[in-house]
Amino acid sequence: MEGLYRYSRNPMYLSLLLLLTAWCLHLQAGLSLLSCVVFVLLINRLQIKPEEKLLTQQFNEQYLQYCRNVRRWL
């Protein structure tokens, strides 16, 4: 595995989380950091889990091995 995908299975979502976190810090509103938690919960449930199910069906053991070696977020 090469590039970002050897560190995170979802680098795009990770970058969005980092951007959202930076924006919340820029706003200097502590309560806005809750949006980061909500983002992670929603993206896990509505996007990542369905994607992982399809990838497991398509690539089976090869994808499961990748999942064992690379974390979902970081």
Side-chain angles (χ1 to χ4, degrees), residues 14-36 39:
L14 179 60
S15 68
L16 291 173
L17 175 62
L18 293 173
L19 182 64
L20 179 59
T21 303
W23 181 249
C24 292
L25 293 174
H26 172 74
L27 294 176
Q28 296 180 350
L31 195 56
S32 68
L33 288 173
L34 286 176
S35 65
C36 297
F39 173 79

Side-chain angles (χ1 to χ4, degrees), residues 18-72:
L18 293 173
L19 182 64
L20 179 59
T21 303
W23 181 249
C24 292
L25 293 174
H26 172 74
L27 294 176
Q28 296 180 350
L31 195 56
S32 68
L33 288 173
L34 286 176
S35 65
C36 297
V37 174
V38 171
F39 173 79
V40 169
L41 294 173
L42 288 175
I43 207 76
N44 270 330
R45 181 178 177 145
L46 301 176
Q47 190 67 34
I48 293 174
K49 298 261 184 179
E51 283 178 357
E52 288 180 342
K53 183 179 178 183
L54 290 173
L55 288 167
T56 300
Q57 289 173 354
Q58 187 170 359
F59 298 106
N60 203 359
E61 186 56 37
Q62 186 179 7
Y63 181 70
L64 294 174
Q65 180 64 34
Y66 173 63
C67 291
R68 285 190 286 271
N69 294 327
V70 179
R71 296 176 63 123
R72 179 178 285 154

Side-chain angles (χ1 to χ4, degrees), residues 7-18:
Y7 304 110
S8 172
R9 294 194 315 256
N10 299 289
M12 182 179 73
Y13 303 135
L14 179 60
S15 68
L16 291 173
L17 175 62
L18 293 173

